[in-house]
Amino acid sequence: MRLPDMPLHDPFIVADKETRTYYLYTSNDRSVSGVAGTGTMVYRSHNLRDWMRPVVVFLAADQEGLWATDGGWAPEVHKWDGKYYLFTTLHNQNKPLPVPPPNQWGTPFPIGNYMRGTIIAVSESLLGPFTVIDPSRPTPPENLMTLDGTLYVDPSGQPYMVYAHEWLQTIDGTMEAIRLAPDLSGTVGDPTYLFKASDAFWVSEQIPSGVPHQLPPYVTDGPQLYRAPDGSLVMLWSTYEKNSANPDGTVGGYYVQTYAVSKSGNIKGPWSQRRPLVRNDSGHGMLFHTFDGQLMMVLHRPFNNARGKLYEMQLVGHELRVLRQRTDLDGGG
């Protein structure tokens, strides 16, 4: 299989040096995996061009007592203390959450607040099967509507989950971090606020003449942390660019891939926002290295009926640059 033929959303690649195999995790899709149900599947490749048909590594329905069986968004797999840990977002519309009180950005939406958050599952293998550590609740506080949790480990070895807090609760979506227990079995303390979506100064910058400025929601999606050579901390994340001109000439809010920098190197920031890396309804990207050392970014485009796109990247200090799209691998477009 090649990327243009592979349905995938929120791609995450693990480059396993021992087997010189790239593992590309995404939400389960029965049309290619042959298995029904909410979960995670993985494609495998030795060259980033030719991929094996995916296999399912996690199914929500197989987890006894799991609090949710819908979603399966944004799966990531991280090696930690000799095992592999799957992070993926589930939700349960039958478990409504109280509407939060008004905040500095306004009054949260009275509908659509229900239990959503990232779970952590563990396996001895990159191919699973993965078993949820705590089936009773998501890892972030269960009263928060969150998604897209990722693993970050600070220089002292302390693990964190960094996640997006939904705009449905906050109006202006936020990025937050919470400390994890050493075995990733739970959290320690309260969440730490990192930044909000509207901090991206360019979000409403390109407003065509005669078109009124759209109000929030301001969305935060898809965090991934990367340590720059100068010690700074880089966070890839995605949002919607308000009132931008879309590729088809219409006006709307297309998905974009952007990033932020914490020059202090501390997860708490302060975080400064950068301009988008890739537009054209692209996003939820992550960085990885090829086996020959090239820094790469994978993302999906378009948001609906998504396919994977690959880019060669460069870090100059803590500034990310797109060198070129690898159209020879991803089919272009």
Side-chain angles (χ1 to χ4, degrees):
M1 303 181 75
R2 300 243 174 127
L3 285 168
D5 308 313
M6 295 160 49
L8 62 88
H9 213 269
D10 307 339
F12 189 89
I13 289 179
V14 174
D16 183 49
K17 293 182 179 178
E18 291 183 12
T19 60
R20 294 187 68 83
T21 301
Y22 299 101
Y23 291 75
L24 196 169
Y25 295 89
T26 187
S27 301
N28 180 45
D29 187 323
R30 183 180 182 178
S31 69
V32 283
S33 72
V35 178
T38 297
T40 301
M41 65 183 189
V42 62
Y43 299 95
R44 287 167 290 166
S45 174
H46 296 293
N47 58 14
L48 294 175
R49 184 190 64 181
D50 305 294
W51 297 84
M52 288 179 262
R53 187 164 290 278
V55 296
V56 173
V57 298
F58 169 79
L59 279 177
D62 290 345
Q63 311 296 310
E64 185 175 353
L66 190 59
W67 62 272
T69 55
D70 291 320
W73 302 341
E76 303 185 1
V77 172
H78 301 270
K79 191 171 186 178
W80 176 257
D81 198 23
K83 296 182 180 180
Y84 296 98
Y85 289 83
L86 169 72
F87 289 49
T88 189
T89 300
L90 302 177
H91 61 256
N92 187 337
Q93 297 186 44
N94 295 320
K95 293 187 175 182
L97 297 175
V99 178
N103 59 28
Q104 61 266 48
W105 300 296
T107 302
F109 292 81
I111 58 174
N113 285 279
Y114 49 84
M115 205 164 170
R116 174 180 292 163
T118 300
I119 56 96
I120 302 178
V122 62
S123 176
E124 300 286 341
S125 167
L126 284 164
L127 291 175
F130 287 89
T131 303
V132 175
I133 297 174
D134 183 357
S136 68
R137 46 155 291 178
T139 299
E142 57 192 280
N143 64 307
L144 305 182
M145 195 178 190
T146 64
L147 74 166
D148 296 353
T150 189
L151 179 66
Y152 165 69
V153 182
D154 75 10
S156 72
Q158 170 63 51
Y160 289 80
M161 179 182 284
V162 176
Y163 58 84
H165 192 167
E166 283 278 38
W167 61 270
L168 285 163
Q169 281 192 329
T170 64
I171 300 178
D172 197 348
T174 61
M175 287 297 182
E176 299 173 7
I178 192 164
R179 289 180 59 190
L180 294 174
D183 61 358
L184 311 189
S185 63
T187 58
V188 179
D190 296 323
T192 297
Y193 164 85
L194 305 181
F195 61 82
K196 61 186 186 297
S198 65
D199 288 345
F201 55 91
W202 45 264
V203 165
S204 301
E205 195 173 62
Q206 298 185 27
I207 303 177
S209 176
V211 177
H213 172 62
Q214 292 178 358
L215 295 174
Y218 289 100
V219 172
T220 45
D221 268 357
Q224 189 224 1
L225 285 299
Y226 185 88
R227 181 72 61 183
D230 69 357
S232 299
L233 196 56
V234 173
M235 184 194 298
L236 267 65
W237 68 286
S238 293
T239 189
Y240 290 87
E241 190 170 31
K242 305 293 179 181
N243 291 323
S244 59
N246 296 329
D248 60 4
T250 61
V251 173
Y254 261 39
Y255 210 45
V256 293
Q257 179 63 59
T258 189
Y259 75 108
V261 176
S262 170
K263 292 182 181 179
S264 69
N266 193 305
I267 188 64
K268 297 179 180 180
W271 290 92
S272 57
Q273 301 298 324
R274 299 297 189 265
R275 290 191 176 274
L277 294 164
V278 184
R279 287 185 163 93
N280 299 326
D281 206 18
S282 308
H284 208 108
M286 59 86 63
L287 298 171
F288 68 99
H289 282 97
T290 63
F291 298 125
D292 60 4
Q294 173 63 51
L295 182 65
M296 299 282 286
M297 179 173 68
V298 61
L299 51 73
H300 69 243
R301 180 169 67 244
F303 188 86
N304 295 314
N305 195 28
R307 294 296 187 269
K309 306 296 178 183
L310 288 163
Y311 293 81
E312 287 187 5
M313 306 295 291
Q314 182 183 44
L315 258 177
V316 181
H318 48 256
E319 304 298 331
L320 267 175
R321 297 177 181 173
V322 176
L323 295 180
R324 63 171 175 145
Q325 184 181 350
R326 289 296 302 271
T327 55
D328 57 315
L329 299 175
D330 62 30

